[in-house]
Each structure stands twice: as structure tokens, then as C-alpha cells.
Amino acid sequence: MGKDYYKTLGIPKGSNEEEIKKAYRRMALRFHPDKNKDANAEEKFKEIAEAYEVLSDPKKRAVYDQLGEEGLKTGGSSSSGAPGSSTYHYTFHGDPHATFASFFGGSNPFDMFFGSNRHGRTNGFSFHNDHDADQEVDMDDDDPFTHFGRQFGFPGGINNGHAGEGRRRRGVPSERLGTGRKHQDPPVVHELKVSLEEIFHGCTKRMKITRRRLNPDGRSMRTEDKILNIIIKKGWKEGTKITFPKEGDETPENIPADIAFVLKDKGHAHFRRDGSNIIYNCKISLREALCGCTVSIPTLENRIISLPCHDIIKPGTVKRLRGEGLPYPKNPSHRGDLIVEFSVRFPDRIPPQSKEIIRQHLPQS
């Protein structure tokens, strides 16, 4: 007895074209081998694809309805009245993934539906640094594909073959595509580390991204590289965000995500940052703290400033060198300060004779 394609898709024999599509969508997602780990999932996935290939084609379906699977595959005559030869031989091509890709509108369904888990990319992108360098949601609990979508990286499940249609996200741009609605993917945020010298002088960093783009046919996709030039202006603060609109992955179902870079200060050998000020920790000996000294203070411009200290320096003493810090972001011609914090190194031991001298000369309180 031949295969019952209607039973495979779980539909009655009189189902129309839309019902066949809905049935395939449901069954293909349910038995996709990357979601369903049952031992027979792969074979079931293949049977579902074959059933859809036959029932979605009016000519194949007409032969199948009249002669069954055997008549369809060994050659039979259709009484559908189609012009030309009525003898038909059908052989399933054997690739259920190709059927899946064709149905859902992508040349590579793994990239579209399972890319975030399979490739280890951030929302589909690869980043390469060429320099040294709550939103509220309305969940549709009745959507049978919501859990599937969350598991494989979609924000709102899969509905009518479109990623992200299982819920509506407030404040996210959308566009119409045929009878569906395209939503923009959430921004892809990438941390960008910068040195204090780069903030002091300003710089341009080059970041290479690898993303998917639609081909002119509007359905198939290609992978391409692009260099983003990130201009960092003098004095920009940590946490500053630079956004490149719609530079993310593009598929038939989405609006490309914005790509954003957020500045993060690198650690520095001499300084730490406090807004537009920089702080330098100056270590001096106890004798220098008591008797006075002149210390050498480095700057971001590789100059050395001599700082005389005539008064007694207590632990935690602070001196301020005006205008030697970082440029102000909104007024780069003016700069913050270089703040010198003093740390006093106490000796591990003092000779007995020195203790006596100190005892005689230092005040009691």
C-alpha cells in the first residue's frame, strides 16, 4: 500500500492550497531534526517534505488522487485534462532541507532559523577589530511556534513563516512585506575598548563585520564583509554609543538591525579616569613626605611636570594640575585636570639610633 500524503500532513483529502501550506509549516517545524531529537525525526521530516511537494503541485496531486503513490511514481495517466502529454513520472528529489528553505524563503534555512545556536555569532554577525585596539512585549501564548522561535534565537517565535511575528514589540520599526509585517531586529551592541591616549587625541577605528545581505531577487542571500569606520572624538566618555543604522543581517523577513559600539576605557599604566579628569597616584617616601621634595608627574602628552612639595605630605593628600586632563567632550579646546594623589611609603624598620632622634624631634601630637 502506498504512502498517504494527506495523513502525513495531518489533513483531509479535500484540503485547499492554504490548508496544505499551513499543515506543512506546522509539521516541518515540529519534526525539523535540529529541534526534534527523536531517532526517526529525520525520516519523518523527509516524508513531510515529499508529501508537501506532491500535494502543493496541482498536476502531481491530480495524478496522486487518481492513482496513488505507485501510479504517481511509476507513470500513470491523469484525467485532469491538462494540455500536452498526460503521462507523469515523479521522483522525490530527496532533500527535505531544500524544500524547507524554499518554503520559508531562504537559501540556507540553518542560517535563518538556527544560525544563532549553530554558528556562535552575535545575532548573525562576526566582528573583527582591525585596530589594536526593558522593553515591554506582548506575548501571543496561542502561537504554536513561539517556544520554537525562542529556543533558536527569534524574539517572538515564528508565525506564517515569518520570524518575530509571534508577538508585537513596542517601539520597534516595522515595514509591510506582501501580507506580512517586517520587524527590525534588536540592536547588536559591541563593546569597543579605547585607550586614554585615543580619547585624548581622538581617533578612527576600523571594524570589519561579516553579515548577510539580500540578493536582488529579494529571497536568496549572500555573505559579505564591510568595514565600519568608527570616529571617536576627543574627550568622549566611557559608555558613549556610536550607532550604524541597519547594518546588520538582512533576510526576507526582517529589517536589518542597527549595529552599535559602546566605548569602554582600557586600563592605563599610570592613570585612571574620572570624567574629564585623570588621576595619578604618586608614591613618596616618609622622609620626602616630612622634609619636602619635588616629584615628576607624567602627562598624556608624554611631558614630565615637576611638582615641588614644600609642605608636609600626609597620606591621601591631593594636588591638582589645572588643564592637564582630558578634553571636555562638548568643548575640546578646554581640558579637565590632572589630579595627583599621594601615597606615603613607610619603612619596614628603623635603626634604634634613628628612633631616638625622631622621638626627640617630633612633636608629641
Side-chain angles (χ1 to χ4, degrees), residues 342-356:
F342 287 90
S343 296
V344 179
R345 299 191 303 267
F346 283 73
D348 293 328
R349 57 180 298 277
I350 298 177
Q353 60 271 27
S354 297
K355 285 185 180 180
E356 187 61 32

Side-chain angles (χ1 to χ4, degrees), residues 13-80:
K13 188 172 182 180
S15 298
N16 60 32
E17 181 181 355
E18 187 61 29
E19 290 168 334
I20 293 170
K21 289 181 178 179
K22 288 181 178 180
Y24 173 74
R25 180 183 299 114
R26 180 181 66 254
M27 299 295 285
L29 292 174
R30 177 181 174 186
F31 286 96
H32 195 291
D34 267 23
K35 177 180 183 290
N36 193 316
K37 300 304 180 183
D38 290 346
N40 65 339
E42 182 74 47
E43 184 61 29
K44 183 68 174 178
F45 186 59
K46 184 175 180 180
E47 291 175 1
I48 292 165
E50 181 178 342
Y52 175 71
E53 290 275 352
V54 172
L55 298 184
S56 63
D57 183 293
K59 189 174 181 179
K60 296 187 186 79
R61 184 179 181 183
V63 176
Y64 172 75
D65 285 346
Q66 185 179 6
L67 303 173
E69 181 201 8
E70 184 177 352
L72 178 69
K73 293 183 176 180
T74 60
S77 297
S78 169
S79 59
S80 61

Side-chain angles (χ1 to χ4, degrees), residues 85-351:
S85 174
S86 60
T87 302
Y88 198 89
H89 296 266
Y90 168 71
T91 303
F92 180 54
H93 53 69
D95 187 357
H97 296 278
T99 305
F100 189 84
S102 175
F103 182 88
F104 285 104
S107 59
N108 190 337
F110 263 14
D111 280 346
M112 184 179 299
F113 287 94
F114 310 108
S116 60
N117 282 8
R118 291 174 58 87
H119 301 300
R121 286 147 57 102
T122 305
N123 200 24
F125 309 106
S126 298
F127 290 92
H128 317 272
N129 193 346
D130 282 358
H131 199 285
D132 286 334
D134 311 67
Q135 69 181 339
E136 297 180 359
V137 296
D138 297 326
M139 294 297 295
D140 183 357
D141 293 330
D142 295 328
D143 181 0
F145 308 125
T146 296
H147 173 73
F148 176 84
R150 285 198 300 267
Q151 181 177 353
F152 292 100
F154 283 124
I158 303 169
N159 187 30
N160 295 330
H162 298 288
E165 283 294 302
R167 67 181 179 182
R168 295 288 183 259
R169 295 178 291 169
R170 299 192 184 108
V172 179
S174 63
E175 295 177 359
R176 286 286 181 183
L177 179 65
T179 60
R181 179 180 293 273
K182 296 173 67 176
H183 288 280
Q184 185 174 23
D185 291 340
V188 178
V189 181
H190 189 66
E191 188 179 89
L192 184 62
K193 292 190 175 182
V194 290
S195 68
L196 291 182
E197 284 81 5
E198 289 170 329
I199 294 296
F200 181 83
H201 296 287
C203 67
T204 299
K205 283 183 173 275
R206 292 164 56 83
M207 187 72 73
K208 183 171 78 170
I209 64 170
T210 301
R211 79 270 179 87
R212 296 195 300 271
R213 294 272 111 175
L214 278 177
N215 288 320
D217 62 15
R219 297 182 65 81
S220 62
M221 291 175 286
R222 67 188 183 278
T223 300
E224 68 176 22
D225 295 337
K226 183 174 182 178
I227 301 295
L228 301 180
N229 292 310
I230 308 169
I231 299 174
I232 299 169
K233 295 185 178 181
K234 293 181 179 181
W236 272 5
K237 296 181 179 180
E238 184 177 65
T240 300
K241 181 185 289 187
I242 306 104
T243 300
F244 294 84
K246 299 183 180 181
E247 290 290 355
D249 273 354
E250 183 181 30
T251 73
E253 287 79 23
N254 80 324
I255 303 170
D258 297 342
I259 297 181
F261 297 92
V262 178
L263 298 189
K264 177 76 173 179
D265 291 335
K266 287 183 181 178
H268 197 277
H270 302 300
F271 308 108
R272 69 180 191 271
R273 185 179 185 179
D274 181 20
S276 294
N277 299 326
I278 55 175
I279 301 172
Y280 175 73
N281 183 260
C282 182
K283 297 179 179 180
I284 59 175
S285 67
L286 179 59
R287 183 175 67 178
E288 290 173 323
L290 296 174
C291 302
C293 61
T294 298
V295 294
S296 297
I297 308 299
T299 70
L300 286 172
E301 300 169 284
N302 294 320
R303 293 184 293 111
I304 299 295
I305 297 177
S306 295
L307 179 62
C309 301
H310 303 301
D311 299 328
I312 292 175
I313 301 294
K314 301 177 182 179
T317 295
V318 170
K319 292 185 179 290
R320 186 179 293 264
L321 300 177
R322 302 285 182 182
E324 294 292 343
L326 294 169
Y328 290 110
K330 295 183 179 180
N331 189 4
S333 61
H334 292 75
R335 293 164 55 183
D337 301 333
L338 197 168
I339 299 172
V340 183
E341 293 182 347
F342 287 90
S343 296
V344 179
R345 299 191 303 267
F346 283 73
D348 293 328
R349 57 180 298 277
I350 298 177

